[in-house]
Amino acid sequence: MPRLILLNKPYGVLPQFTDEQGRPTLADHVPVKGVYAAGRLDRDSEGLLALSDDGALIARIASPKHKLPKTYWVQVEGIPTEEALQRLRDGVTLNDGPTLPAEARRMEEPDGLWPRDPPVRFRAAIPTSWIALTLREGRNRQVRRMTAAVGFPTLRLIRWSIGDWTLDGLAPGEWREVTVPGRTSAKAPSGNTKAKRPRSQGNRIRPL
């Protein structure tokens, strides 16, 4: 039966198991043979990454044609206006064409969020804020390009959910095996961490 693993990918980790340059990879966190990432999560992004040993399941998760919603917590430079958020909702035109409409709203900084290593670089004179952004497509560095297009560059990017799966209970570098239809769920611990773990989604995304 197919396996499905959810990982909280730390910042700086490549979404693959090998790297000729010796950079951190998934192999440093998931000691499971034969599984592959369902889609990408850039090296400078954090959060939920699904892995499986089943090609059809990987395609259902990763392929834009299935329009599986993916929600991101995005720390941006500045405080987005309602006009900017509406542009994200309507879809913005990027150099590879217009995006699909998205769900976008301001949110408070997530409670108990783990510190990023290395820390985000801030400009003292410019405030930062957070938005929750839900997409149903997956282009290269799409979230960063979308927020930049409306005038609010991304500083930190965390994927909170893929469909109904979330980061709930996973600290950076931790993973768990979850139910695939027809299977009994299982959990598997990863390496030790002292980072605070996310709480439930209902407690985490608080609109302003």
Side-chain angles (χ1 to χ4, degrees), residues 110-126:
D111 292 335
L113 184 63
W114 60 88
R116 204 189 76 173
D117 183 20
V120 175
R121 292 186 178 182
F122 302 101
R123 290 196 285 178
I126 300 179

Side-chain angles (χ1 to χ4, degrees), residues 31-43:
V32 179
K33 302 295 184 182
V35 296
Y36 302 91
R40 293 185 58 83
L41 190 61
D42 293 329
R43 183 185 178 197

Side-chain angles (χ1 to χ4, degrees), residues 182-205:
R183 289 196 62 201
T184 300
S185 63
K187 293 185 178 181
S190 68
N192 294 329
T193 177
K194 296 182 179 179
K196 294 184 179 179
R197 301 187 182 190
R199 300 177 185 174
S200 65
Q201 185 176 17
N203 292 334
R204 294 302 303 269
I205 300 181

